Amino acid sequence: MLRNSLIGSLRQIKPILCSQSLRSLSNGENSGLTTIEVDDKSGIATLSMNLPPVNTLTLNLMHDLIDSINQIECNKSRGLILTSSNDKVFSAGLDLKELYKPDQERLKEFWTIFQDLWLALHLCGIPTAAAINGHAPAAGCIMATACEYRVMLPDFVIGVHATRFSFLVSKWMMLSYQSVLPRRIVERALNQGKLFSTQEALEVGLIDEVAGSKKEALAQCAAFIGTFDKANPIARTLTKRMCRDSDVTELLRDRAGDLRACVDYINTPLFQEGLSAHLEGLKEKK
Protein backbone atom coordinates (compact mmCIF):
# COMPACT_ATOMS: atom_id res chain seq x y z
CA MET A 1 0.00 0.00 0.00
CA LEU A 2 2.80 2.41 0.91
CA ARG A 3 4.57 1.66 -2.37
CA ASN A 4 1.37 2.34 -4.34
CA SER A 5 0.90 5.59 -2.45
CA LEU A 6 4.43 6.66 -3.26
CA ILE A 7 4.05 5.79 -6.92
CA GLY A 8 0.87 7.84 -6.92
CA SER A 9 2.82 10.72 -5.41
CA LEU A 10 4.83 10.95 -8.64
CA ARG A 11 2.29 13.60 -9.60
CA GLN A 12 3.55 15.68 -6.72
CA ILE A 13 7.29 15.40 -7.37
CA LYS A 14 8.37 18.97 -7.94
CA PRO A 15 11.33 18.40 -10.27
CA ILE A 16 8.98 16.80 -12.79
CA LEU A 17 5.81 18.82 -12.55
CA CYS A 18 6.97 22.27 -11.47
CA SER A 19 5.37 25.20 -13.17
CA GLN A 20 7.10 26.07 -16.43
CA SER A 21 6.81 29.73 -15.48
CA LEU A 22 9.57 29.39 -12.90
CA ARG A 23 12.65 31.30 -14.05
CA SER A 24 15.93 29.50 -14.51
CA LEU A 25 18.44 29.90 -11.72
CA SER A 26 21.32 32.20 -12.46
CA ASN A 27 24.62 32.04 -10.65
CA GLY A 28 24.55 34.34 -7.65
CA GLU A 29 20.79 34.91 -7.75
CA ASN A 30 19.93 36.96 -4.70
CA SER A 31 16.63 37.71 -3.00
CA GLY A 32 18.33 39.81 -0.32
CA LEU A 33 17.61 37.38 2.51
CA THR A 34 18.88 34.33 0.64
CA THR A 35 21.46 33.81 -2.09
CA ILE A 36 21.55 30.94 -4.60
CA GLU A 37 24.77 30.01 -6.35
CA VAL A 38 24.82 27.16 -8.85
CA ASP A 39 28.05 25.37 -9.73
CA ASP A 40 27.96 25.09 -13.52
CA LYS A 41 30.16 22.00 -13.49
CA SER A 42 28.43 19.95 -10.78
CA GLY A 43 24.91 21.36 -11.05
CA ILE A 44 24.78 21.69 -7.26
CA ALA A 45 23.04 24.76 -5.80
CA THR A 46 24.31 26.45 -2.65
CA LEU A 47 21.57 28.24 -0.72
CA SER A 48 22.93 30.79 1.75
CA MET A 49 20.96 32.48 4.51
CA ASN A 50 21.77 36.17 4.49
CA LEU A 51 19.86 37.98 7.24
CA PRO A 52 22.16 39.90 9.61
CA PRO A 53 23.05 39.68 12.34
CA VAL A 54 22.35 35.97 13.03
CA ASN A 55 19.96 34.59 10.38
CA THR A 56 17.02 34.62 12.76
CA LEU A 57 14.11 32.79 11.15
CA THR A 58 11.72 35.66 10.60
CA LEU A 59 8.57 35.34 8.54
CA ASN A 60 10.33 36.94 5.57
CA LEU A 61 13.42 34.76 5.77
CA MET A 62 11.33 31.59 6.05
CA HIS A 63 9.25 32.65 3.03
CA ASP A 64 12.43 33.28 1.05
CA LEU A 65 13.95 29.94 2.08
CA ILE A 66 10.84 28.04 0.98
CA ASP A 67 10.78 29.89 -2.35
CA SER A 68 14.50 29.24 -2.87
CA ILE A 69 14.22 25.52 -2.02
CA ASN A 70 11.32 25.20 -4.46
CA GLN A 71 13.23 27.06 -7.19
CA ILE A 72 16.30 24.86 -6.75
CA GLU A 73 14.22 21.69 -6.80
CA CYS A 74 12.11 22.76 -9.74
CA ASN A 75 15.10 23.74 -11.82
CA LYS A 76 16.47 20.21 -11.49
CA SER A 77 19.66 21.03 -9.64
CA ARG A 78 21.65 17.90 -8.75
CA GLY A 79 21.64 18.80 -5.07
CA LEU A 80 21.17 21.54 -2.49
CA ILE A 81 23.68 22.72 0.10
CA LEU A 82 22.26 24.91 2.87
CA THR A 83 24.71 27.28 4.54
CA SER A 84 25.12 30.80 5.93
CA SER A 85 26.78 33.97 4.67
CA ASN A 86 27.60 34.71 8.33
CA ASP A 87 30.91 33.21 9.45
CA LYS A 88 29.79 32.85 13.08
CA VAL A 89 26.16 31.77 12.97
CA PHE A 90 24.41 29.22 10.74
CA SER A 91 21.00 30.25 12.11
CA ALA A 92 20.08 31.40 15.60
CA GLY A 93 16.64 29.80 15.27
CA LEU A 94 13.13 31.20 15.33
CA ASP A 95 12.43 34.89 15.81
CA LEU A 96 11.49 34.70 19.49
CA LYS A 97 9.98 38.18 19.40
CA GLU A 98 7.16 36.65 17.35
CA LEU A 99 6.39 34.36 20.30
CA TYR A 100 6.45 37.00 23.05
CA LYS A 101 3.03 38.52 23.77
CA PRO A 102 2.09 37.64 20.21
CA ASP A 103 -0.61 38.87 17.91
CA GLN A 104 -2.67 35.71 17.60
CA GLU A 105 -3.26 35.75 13.85
CA ARG A 106 0.37 36.58 13.11
CA LEU A 107 1.48 33.79 15.46
CA LYS A 108 -0.64 31.30 13.51
CA GLU A 109 0.89 32.50 10.25
CA PHE A 110 4.39 32.31 11.74
CA TRP A 111 4.04 28.74 12.97
CA THR A 112 2.39 27.59 9.72
CA ILE A 113 5.30 28.97 7.70
CA PHE A 114 7.75 27.21 10.01
CA GLN A 115 5.88 23.94 9.35
CA ASP A 116 6.09 24.67 5.61
CA LEU A 117 9.83 25.34 5.78
CA TRP A 118 10.59 22.10 7.57
CA LEU A 119 8.43 20.08 5.17
CA ALA A 120 10.05 21.74 2.14
CA LEU A 121 13.53 20.86 3.36
CA HIS A 122 12.78 17.47 4.93
CA LEU A 123 10.95 16.19 1.83
CA CYS A 124 13.07 17.95 -0.79
CA GLY A 125 13.32 15.61 -3.76
CA ILE A 126 17.01 16.25 -4.49
CA PRO A 127 19.96 15.38 -2.21
CA THR A 128 20.46 17.91 0.57
CA ALA A 129 23.38 18.73 2.84
CA ALA A 130 24.09 21.41 5.43
CA ALA A 131 27.44 23.18 5.60
CA ILE A 132 27.18 24.40 9.19
CA ASN A 133 29.67 27.25 9.33
CA GLY A 134 28.46 28.76 12.61
CA HIS A 135 26.31 28.19 15.68
CA ALA A 136 23.09 26.24 14.99
CA PRO A 137 20.84 26.29 18.07
CA ALA A 138 17.12 25.48 18.25
CA ALA A 139 15.41 25.78 14.85
CA GLY A 140 18.85 26.19 13.26
CA CYS A 141 19.55 22.64 14.41
CA ILE A 142 16.15 21.42 13.20
CA MET A 143 16.87 22.77 9.71
CA ALA A 144 20.22 20.98 9.73
CA THR A 145 18.61 17.69 10.77
CA ALA A 146 16.09 18.06 7.93
CA CYS A 147 19.05 17.78 5.53
CA GLU A 148 20.48 14.39 4.63
CA TYR A 149 24.10 15.20 5.57
CA ARG A 150 25.79 17.65 7.90
CA VAL A 151 29.32 19.03 7.86
CA MET A 152 30.28 21.45 10.63
CA LEU A 153 33.18 23.75 11.36
CA PRO A 154 35.03 23.54 14.71
CA ASP A 155 34.30 25.59 17.82
CA PHE A 156 30.57 26.04 17.31
CA VAL A 157 27.49 24.56 18.99
CA ILE A 158 24.39 22.79 17.70
CA GLY A 159 21.32 21.45 19.45
CA VAL A 160 17.77 22.12 20.60
CA HIS A 161 17.92 24.01 23.89
CA ALA A 162 14.20 24.87 24.02
CA THR A 163 13.69 23.85 27.65
CA ARG A 164 16.10 26.61 28.70
CA PHE A 165 13.46 29.17 27.75
CA SER A 166 10.42 27.05 28.69
CA PHE A 167 9.51 26.07 25.14
CA LEU A 168 7.90 22.72 24.37
CA VAL A 169 8.95 21.42 20.94
CA SER A 170 6.36 19.90 18.64
CA LYS A 171 6.51 16.18 18.07
CA TRP A 172 7.61 16.62 14.45
CA MET A 173 10.59 18.65 15.64
CA MET A 174 11.50 15.86 18.03
CA LEU A 175 11.14 13.30 15.22
CA SER A 176 13.42 15.37 12.99
CA TYR A 177 16.05 15.31 15.74
CA GLN A 178 15.37 11.63 16.36
CA SER A 179 15.82 10.78 12.67
CA VAL A 180 19.50 11.60 13.16
CA LEU A 181 20.19 10.59 16.78
CA PRO A 182 19.12 7.58 18.88
CA ARG A 183 16.01 8.16 20.96
CA ARG A 184 17.90 7.87 24.25
CA ILE A 185 20.29 10.66 23.29
CA VAL A 186 17.47 12.84 21.92
CA GLU A 187 15.37 12.44 25.07
CA ARG A 188 18.25 13.38 27.33
CA ALA A 189 19.45 16.25 25.14
CA LEU A 190 15.97 17.77 24.79
CA ASN A 191 15.30 17.54 28.52
CA GLN A 192 18.69 19.06 29.34
CA GLY A 193 18.42 21.75 26.68
CA LYS A 194 21.85 20.59 25.55
CA LEU A 195 23.96 22.35 22.98
CA PHE A 196 26.61 20.03 21.53
CA SER A 197 30.07 21.26 20.64
CA THR A 198 31.27 20.35 17.17
CA GLN A 199 33.30 17.45 18.54
CA GLU A 200 30.44 16.20 20.72
CA ALA A 201 28.07 16.42 17.76
CA LEU A 202 30.45 14.31 15.68
CA GLU A 203 30.84 11.72 18.43
CA VAL A 204 27.08 11.19 18.89
CA GLY A 205 26.30 11.33 15.16
CA LEU A 206 24.45 14.64 15.01
CA ILE A 207 26.90 15.71 12.29
CA ASP A 208 28.69 13.51 9.77
CA GLU A 209 31.99 15.31 9.28
CA VAL A 210 34.07 18.21 10.57
CA ALA A 211 35.69 20.64 8.12
CA GLY A 212 38.50 23.09 8.69
CA SER A 213 36.91 25.86 6.62
CA LYS A 214 33.68 26.77 4.88
CA LYS A 215 35.30 25.95 1.54
CA GLU A 216 36.14 22.46 2.79
CA ALA A 217 32.63 22.03 4.23
CA LEU A 218 31.04 22.91 0.89
CA ALA A 219 33.38 20.48 -0.90
CA GLN A 220 32.52 17.68 1.55
CA CYS A 221 28.80 18.35 1.10
CA ALA A 222 29.24 18.28 -2.68
CA ALA A 223 31.12 14.98 -2.42
CA PHE A 224 28.21 13.49 -0.46
CA ILE A 225 25.72 14.68 -3.07
CA GLY A 226 27.93 13.10 -5.73
CA THR A 227 27.45 9.65 -4.17
CA PHE A 228 23.96 9.56 -5.72
CA ASP A 229 25.17 9.99 -9.31
CA LYS A 230 24.32 6.40 -10.26
CA ALA A 231 20.85 6.48 -8.69
CA ASN A 232 17.77 7.13 -10.78
CA PRO A 233 16.59 10.52 -9.46
CA ILE A 234 12.90 9.62 -9.42
CA ALA A 235 13.48 6.32 -7.62
CA ARG A 236 15.82 8.11 -5.20
CA THR A 237 13.17 10.73 -4.42
CA LEU A 238 10.51 8.10 -3.80
CA THR A 239 12.87 6.07 -1.63
CA LYS A 240 13.82 9.12 0.42
CA ARG A 241 10.20 10.02 1.01
CA MET A 242 9.36 6.45 1.94
CA CYS A 243 12.19 6.46 4.50
CA ARG A 244 10.98 9.77 5.91
CA ASP A 245 7.27 9.00 5.82
CA SER A 246 7.00 8.26 9.55
CA ASP A 247 8.62 11.62 10.37
CA VAL A 248 5.97 13.63 8.55
CA THR A 249 2.81 11.51 8.72
CA GLU A 250 1.47 12.91 11.98
CA LEU A 251 2.08 16.52 11.02
CA LEU A 252 0.52 16.12 7.58
CA ARG A 253 -2.47 14.31 9.11
CA ASP A 254 -3.23 17.10 11.58
CA ARG A 255 -1.37 20.32 10.90
CA ALA A 256 -4.24 22.30 12.42
CA GLY A 257 -3.94 20.28 15.63
CA ASP A 258 -0.21 20.98 15.85
CA LEU A 259 -0.90 24.66 15.27
CA ARG A 260 -3.56 24.77 18.00
CA ALA A 261 -1.32 23.00 20.50
CA CYS A 262 1.57 25.32 19.73
CA VAL A 263 -0.50 28.49 19.97
CA ASP A 264 -2.13 27.34 23.21
CA TYR A 265 1.24 26.57 24.81
CA ILE A 266 2.89 29.80 23.66
CA ASN A 267 0.10 31.78 25.33
CA THR A 268 0.58 30.10 28.72
CA PRO A 269 2.07 32.14 31.59
CA LEU A 270 4.71 29.43 32.01
CA PHE A 271 6.13 30.01 28.54
CA GLN A 272 5.66 33.77 28.45
CA GLU A 273 7.48 34.21 31.76
CA GLY A 274 10.28 31.86 30.71
CA LEU A 275 10.67 33.57 27.35
CA SER A 276 10.69 37.02 28.98
CA ALA A 277 13.54 35.99 31.27
CA HIS A 278 15.42 34.48 28.32
CA LEU A 279 15.06 37.62 26.22
CA GLU A 280 16.25 39.77 29.11
CA GLY A 281 19.27 37.51 29.44
CA LEU A 282 20.06 37.95 25.76
CA LYS A 283 19.91 41.74 26.15
CA GLU A 284 22.38 41.59 29.01
CA LYS A 285 24.83 39.58 26.90
CA LYS A 286 24.83 42.36 24.31
Side-chain angles (χ1 to χ4, degrees):
M1 185 174 293
L2 176 57
R3 182 178 296 175
N4 290 338
S5 174
L6 286 166
I7 292 173
S9 73
L10 273 168
R11 298 177 182 177
Q12 299 175 359
I13 294 178
K14 294 175 186 174
I16 297 174
L17 294 178
C18 284
S19 168
Q20 295 302 311
S21 65
L22 270 172
R23 64 184 182 278
S24 296
L25 293 176
S26 59
N27 201 29
E29 186 163 330
N30 192 334
S31 70
L33 302 182
T34 59
T35 301
I36 301 171
E37 295 181 356
V38 181
D39 185 300
D40 292 333
K41 184 181 247 186
S42 69
I44 295 172
T46 298
L47 171 58
S48 298
M49 293 175 281
N50 185 38
L51 179 59
V54 291
N55 290 325
T56 301
L57 293 175
T58 62
L59 266 173
N60 288 338
L61 177 55
M62 289 194 287
H63 272 297
D64 269 30
L65 282 167
I66 293 167
D67 288 345
S68 295
I69 292 166
N70 288 337
Q71 284 179 40
I72 291 167
E73 194 174 0
C74 288
N75 281 280
K76 301 184 182 179
S77 296
R78 282 187 52 238
L80 183 160
I81 301 173
L82 179 65
T83 191
S84 167
S85 61
N86 185 316
D87 62 0
K88 297 294 182 185
V89 181
F90 178 72
S91 171
L94 293 175
D95 184 358
L96 295 179
K97 295 190 296 295
E98 294 282 4
L99 310 184
Y100 184 58
K101 298 180 178 178
D103 173 85
Q104 298 304 301
E105 291 307 311
R106 185 175 174 88
L107 174 59
K108 292 175 184 176
E109 179 187 6
F110 183 80
W111 194 256
T112 300
I113 292 300
F114 182 40
Q115 292 176 336
D116 289 340
L117 173 58
W118 180 73
L119 288 168
L121 194 53
H122 196 71
L123 295 179
C124 184
I126 59 177
T128 57
I132 307 167
N133 59 319
H135 297 301
C141 175
I142 295 300
M143 284 203 300
T145 61
C147 295
E148 298 170 47
Y149 202 73
R150 285 154 295 284
V151 181
M152 189 170 175
L153 272 60
D155 303 319
F156 293 117
V157 297
I158 183 171
V160 180
H161 65 315
T163 54
R164 295 193 191 185
F165 50 94
S166 305
F167 188 67
L168 178 65
V169 300
S170 288
K171 187 173 182 180
W172 56 268
M173 297 171 68
M174 180 197 73
L175 290 174
S176 186
Y177 211 12
Q178 204 166 288
S179 70
V180 175
L181 291 174
R183 173 178 171 171
R184 179 170 175 269
I185 293 177
V186 169
E187 182 177 341
R188 183 177 299 171
L190 285 175
N191 285 326
Q192 291 172 336
K194 182 172 178 58
L195 293 172
F196 295 88
S197 68
T198 300
Q199 188 56 39
E200 288 175 326
L202 181 65
E203 289 170 359
V204 299
L206 181 52
I207 62 172
D208 298 285
E209 293 188 76
V210 177
S213 67
K214 181 178 180 180
K215 183 178 180 180
E216 288 181 14
L218 292 172
Q220 288 164 231
C221 287
F224 166 76
I225 290 170
T227 64
F228 300 102
D229 283 352
K230 294 182 180 180
N232 177 282
I234 298 175
R236 201 207 85 93
T237 297
L238 291 172
T239 301
K240 173 180 176 177
R241 291 178 177 171
M242 180 170 62
C243 291
R244 296 184 168 215
D245 181 71
S246 60
D247 299 335
V248 301
T249 297
E250 188 166 335
L251 175 60
L252 292 176
R253 185 169 55 232
D254 190 14
R255 291 188 63 174
D258 176 72
L259 176 62
R260 279 194 307 274
C262 175
V263 169
D264 288 348
Y265 184 79
I266 285 172
N267 283 296
T268 63
L270 169 68
F271 176 68
Q272 288 298 314
E273 290 167 9
L275 180 57
S276 177
H278 181 70
L279 293 173
E280 285 299 317
L282 293 177
K283 287 180 185 177
E284 291 174 7
K285 288 181 181 179
K286 294 179 181 179

